[in-house]
Amino acid sequence: MKSLTVIVPCYNEEAVIAESYARLKQVLHGMENPSEIIFVNDGSMDKTAEMLTAIAANDKQVKVLSFSRNFGHQRAVTAGINYCNSDLAVIIDADLQDPPELIPQLVETLEREQAQSVYCVRRARQGESRFKRSTAKAFYRLLNFFSEVKFPVDTGDFRLIDRNIINEFNRLSEKGKYIRGLMAWTGFKQVPFYYEREARAAGETKYPLSKMLRLAVTSLLYFSKKPLLLATSLGFVSVLFALCYGLYAVLGHWLGFTHADSGWTSLVVLIVFFGGIQLLTIGIMGAYIGSLFDEIKNRPEYIVAEKINF
Ligand code: UDP
Ligand code: MG
């Protein structure tokens, strides 16, 4: 029987942590697999740490990793995977949007399909704003257009992975991790599992627009070089345009259908347009250089301040 670790990143989740633990516990109790839960406390400022400590004091099946500060969801999940010793791992949010009751079906699907991973695809999303749903939907499609790896759309980090993928993931040395992308990148046999995403059981989202944007930018920068090449494409277009416009200007001068002193509007438009393109492409290069800089500094991805039951 394969052993199973459930990885739960938590950031200021005092409102749901008890319920989350109770539901997970019940699910794991009904399974034959030896199992454990790793809660990764990502520098919470509320009562999450105390609550997890109390849970772990009464239950040796629960392990807790506490970061020294908030390092972000992707790094909390990374730590959970790094510290997992089981044959299988499930990554699940603390807020019960991804129902823990599906875990036995994920394990069953993995075994039936002889797959290395079962990733959960959201068929419906309850309790999320239309803005969040539509931007997420558009973004997954945009990313697929840009990316050199093809990703399953409408898929978050909720998934089951086996030892093959855990080992390969642990070998990755990049610090800017877009986990769902890297999981697809590892290859192997990965099969979808369709589910309805529920509303958050309690508390507020810990993913404000700024964190969502950062994740989106990381995924683009780390999975595509196409934006860098945008300068070249735009350059070709503008050279072509300049040739045509130059021809028009010269012919106009010779044949007398343009007047030298009437060019103010076109000059302003051209300066603004090409100035914009240049700033845009310099900005894109800046973003790539910034992530190169981050990678070269080689700082640890997270700092563990406390470990319980390890
Ligand atoms: N989370 C985290 N660190 C952060 C932000 C979020 O560990 O800096 C955790 C959070 O506790 C939750 C999961 O990541 O378990 C997903 O966050 P949330 O449910 O707030 O995101 P949403 O579902 O709204 O996109
Ligand atoms: Mg959530």
Side-chain angles (χ1 to χ4, degrees), residues 214-243:
R214 202 176 318 151
L215 185 66
V217 170
T218 304
S219 68
L220 279 173
L221 291 177
Y222 282 76
F223 279 93
S224 177
K225 290 189 283 286
K226 278 184 193 159
L228 265 185
L229 306 177
L230 190 69
T232 321
S233 326
L234 289 175
F236 271 120
V237 173
S238 68
V239 166
L240 200 69
F241 178 75
L243 280 176

Side-chain angles (χ1 to χ4, degrees), residues 106-272:
L106 298 181
V107 174
E108 196 260 316
T109 308
L110 186 99
E111 293 189 336
R112 176 166 34 82
E113 300 277 340
Q114 301 270 306
Q116 278 71 46
S117 169
V118 180
Y119 57 90
C120 301
V121 184
R122 299 154 181 177
R123 211 166 17 202
R125 295 168 146 224
Q126 250 116 59
E128 288 187 332
S129 66
R130 175 176 291 171
F131 175 75
K132 183 148 186 167
R133 274 177 297 156
S134 51
T135 47
K137 197 170 169 154
F139 178 72
Y140 284 129
R141 279 146 188 87
L142 176 82
L143 182 62
N144 255 327
F145 167 75
F146 274 107
S147 169
E148 284 127 34
V149 184
K150 288 296 156 245
F151 304 121
V153 294
D154 302 329
T155 303
D157 290 322
F158 181 33
R159 64 187 63 226
L160 173 68
I161 52 179
D162 82 348
R163 205 10 83 185
N164 291 288
I165 294 187
I166 298 171
N167 288 344
E168 294 311 322
F169 183 85
N170 287 336
R171 286 199 315 135
L172 297 170
S173 59
E174 69 206 82
K175 310 287 173 185
K177 286 200 172 72
Y178 178 62
I179 294 177
R180 57 201 81 163
L182 290 168
M183 293 289 175
W185 172 87
T186 59
F188 296 105
K189 183 172 181 193
Q190 310 204 10
V191 295
F193 181 92
Y194 295 88
Y195 78 115
E196 318 271 313
R197 194 159 210 235
E198 286 170 17
R200 191 177 238 284
E204 307 260 284
T205 175
K206 305 301 167 331
Y207 254 99
L209 191 60
S210 58
K211 278 187 180 171
M212 263 162 63
L213 279 176
R214 202 176 318 151
L215 185 66
V217 170
T218 304
S219 68
L220 279 173
L221 291 177
Y222 282 76
F223 279 93
S224 177
K225 290 189 283 286
K226 278 184 193 159
L228 265 185
L229 306 177
L230 190 69
T232 321
S233 326
L234 289 175
F236 271 120
V237 173
S238 68
V239 166
L240 200 69
F241 178 75
L243 280 176
C244 298
Y245 196 67
L247 200 65
Y248 163 79
V250 171
L251 283 180
H253 181 67
W254 280 347
L255 304 177
F257 59 80
T258 53
H259 300 284
D261 58 356
S262 69
W264 186 82
T265 312
S266 54
L267 271 183
V268 167
V269 170
L270 290 175
I271 289 172
V272 169

Side-chain angles (χ1 to χ4, degrees), residues 9 11 13 42 70 73 94-95 97 132 200 205-206 211:
Y11 177 55
E13 298 288 11
D42 184 13
N70 180 242
H73 171 232
D95 62 1
Q97 279 195 284
K132 183 148 186 167
R200 191 177 238 284
T205 175
K206 305 301 167 331
K211 278 187 180 171

Side-chain angles (χ1 to χ4, degrees), residues 64-129:
V64 180
L65 279 177
S66 272
F67 285 178
S68 61
R69 63 170 171 85
N70 180 242
F71 280 90
H73 171 232
Q74 298 290 293
R75 291 178 175 205
V77 173
T78 301
I81 299 174
N82 294 161
Y83 278 84
C84 156
N85 291 320
S86 303
D87 303 315
L88 303 173
V90 168
I91 301 163
I92 193 166
D93 286 354
D95 62 1
L96 298 167
Q97 279 195 284
D98 309 323
E101 290 71 25
L102 298 179
I103 295 175
Q105 297 177 49
L106 298 181
V107 174
E108 196 260 316
T109 308
L110 186 99
E111 293 189 336
R112 176 166 34 82
E113 300 277 340
Q114 301 270 306
Q116 278 71 46
S117 169
V118 180
Y119 57 90
C120 301
V121 184
R122 299 154 181 177
R123 211 166 17 202
R125 295 168 146 224
Q126 250 116 59
E128 288 187 332
S129 66

